Amino acid sequence: MIIIAGLGNPGLRYRKTRHNAGFEVIDILAKQYNISVRKKDRQSVFGTGVINGKKVTLVKPLTYMNKSGEALSAWARYYGINPGDELIVISDDIALAPGNLRIRRKGSAGGHNGLKNIISCLGTDQFLRVRIGVGGTEPGDDMITHVLGRMRKEDRIKLEDALSRAADACAMLVSGEVDNAMNRYNQKQ
């Protein structure tokens, strides 16, 4: 089983915010592969299905961003997975310009509190991640307001394209094409 987890915050208030880019990719994957993501368990909304011949569970933690690791560690224990091979985490990234993607096999949280909590709860930084550029703050702007805010129209258009490419990248990662996915998607747009 491969777990694909999109990070975000539950509730209509956070819909289409920068921080919910991961949730939006899960929605795209669910639609593309006809996977119903409506069941609730392990502090998450989830659905199981098949992508490129591999069994997957699509997960949206309901713990709010900063506690995402609580839900994902429960899923990792439930399936007895090796996070390095069987966990893909999708998150926003303020260090990347809107529309850019960065795929990595492992690494630090890079200041992202959701990733920091996942690393802490799993006890490892060894898991695949797809980071989606949402752009940084302007001088004097508040970071929390920024990530919980919505993008300008021109940046949202770039993000929509990135969300679709992130879903395609996840399908490649499920198939074990990590290097190919990094070569294809780790390019500035």
Side-chain angles (χ1 to χ4, degrees):
M1 180 67 68
I2 296 173
I3 298 170
I4 305 174
L7 303 188
N9 290 311
L12 291 176
R13 174 182 175 194
Y14 300 106
R15 191 171 178 267
K16 302 260 186 198
T17 62
R18 289 174 180 89
H19 237 8
N20 274 33
F23 275 16
E24 291 189 65
V25 174
I26 293 297
D27 293 341
I28 292 168
L29 288 167
K31 185 174 181 180
Q32 285 179 340
Y33 294 95
N34 197 29
I35 300 171
S36 176
V37 180
R38 294 191 178 150
K39 297 177 189 173
K40 289 185 179 178
D41 199 3
R42 291 170 193 79
Q43 301 180 78
S44 306
V45 175
F46 75 100
T48 57
V50 176
I51 295 177
N52 295 340
K54 304 280 186 174
K55 291 179 88 173
V56 301
T57 298
L58 302 179
V59 175
K60 292 188 207 178
L62 297 175
T63 54
Y64 290 89
M65 180 65 75
N66 295 351
K67 299 288 185 180
S68 298
E70 293 175 11
L72 295 187
S73 63
W75 283 106
R77 284 191 305 276
Y78 176 74
Y79 284 122
I81 66 161
N82 172 358
D85 297 324
E86 300 165 311
L87 175 63
I88 301 166
V89 176
I90 310 157
S91 68
D92 62 294
D93 190 332
I94 61 166
L96 295 174
N100 289 338
L101 299 179
R102 182 172 294 144
I103 299 167
R104 294 285 185 260
R105 293 179 189 269
K106 61 181 181 175
S108 73
H112 192 287
N113 288 331
L115 291 173
K116 190 181 300 180
N117 186 252
I118 293 168
I119 291 167
S120 174
C121 289
L122 291 177
T124 183
D125 68 354
Q126 307 283 314
F127 55 88
L128 288 167
R129 60 210 59 200
V130 177
R131 295 175 81 153
I132 302 166
V134 296
T137 60
E138 298 294 325
D141 286 351
D142 176 66
M143 182 60 65
I144 294 171
T145 302
H146 178 72
V147 295
L148 297 180
R150 290 174 176 79
M151 301 174 96
R152 297 181 314 236
K153 184 178 179 179
E154 59 272 14
D155 286 342
R156 182 67 200 184
I157 291 168
K158 293 175 186 174
L159 178 66
E160 295 284 341
D161 179 61
L163 297 172
S164 177
R165 287 183 292 111
D168 293 343
C170 286
M172 289 181 77
L173 296 174
V174 165
S175 296
E177 297 182 62
V178 179
D179 291 333
N180 288 340
M182 289 191 296
N183 288 334
R184 176 181 273 174
Y185 296 106
N186 286 356
Q187 300 175 16
K188 291 184 179 180
Q189 296 296 312

